[in-house]
Amino acid sequence: MSSKNQSGVFTNLDVIESNQRLLNAIASGDFATYQDLTASDITAIEPESKGYPVHGVHFHKYYFDLYAHPKMIKRSQLENQQPIITNVISMSNPHVRWLGGGCCSDGCGEGTAAVISYVRLDQTMCEGDDGPVTKTMSETRVWENRDGKLINVHFHKS
């Protein structure tokens, strides 16, 4: 949900759909969409940062640039590691909890922020693989209502 919501009220489904859009952007290497959905001052703790907190989107842009770099693409081709189909990232058992403001238990989204937790499933299959590969990890993201727009402000991946 990158467009502004005039009412400023979001639902659990809005958070889940925004999160899936973000995951799709990551899977497809779409940095423009990623940047639209994340705060420039995003914080994160993830395996790529060796468990240390990172601040800002620049840390993550490096990975978008790396995998789009012609030498990385050529290397993947030489190692016969080209995906047969596009990588897919999905969520298993997403759970949304609202924070701040007039929160309620029915997921009405009247809070100022939402936390979504889920098991992230990364699916891929490259030429030469014996079969599809699915990687799993636990992921939690914090989405903030900034001026009627859901923005990802923090995540933790392990």
Side-chain angles (χ1 to χ4, degrees), residues 92-118:
S92 176
N93 294 327
H95 175 76
V96 177
R97 178 170 300 274
W98 290 92
L99 308 170
C103 295
C104 56
S105 61
D106 65 1
C108 67
E110 291 182 7
T112 56
V115 176
I116 182 170
S117 56
Y118 52 93

Side-chain angles (χ1 to χ4, degrees), residues 29-46:
D30 180 359
F31 185 71
T33 299
Y34 180 86
Q35 195 169 26
D36 185 53
L37 292 168
T38 58
S40 60
D41 61 345
I42 190 169
T43 55
I45 301 170
E46 58 184 317

Side-chain angles (χ1 to χ4, degrees), residues 88-90 119-124 132-137:
V88 174
I89 302 176
S90 57
V119 174
R120 176 174 158 168
L121 306 169
D122 288 27
Q123 298 169 281
T124 189
V133 175
T134 302
K135 297 177 185 175
T136 62
M137 60 202 78

Side-chain angles (χ1 to χ4, degrees), residues 7 26 28-29 34 36 39 46 51 56 58-59 65 67 69 71 82 88-89 92 98 101 110 114 117 133 140 149:
S7 70
I26 293 166
S28 66
Y34 180 86
D36 185 53
E46 58 184 317
H58 299 293
F59 180 84
D65 292 345
Y67 292 111
H69 193 278
K71 286 185 179 180
Q82 286 293 88
V88 174
I89 302 176
S92 176
W98 290 92
E110 291 182 7
S117 56
V133 175
T140 300
K149 183 177 175 184

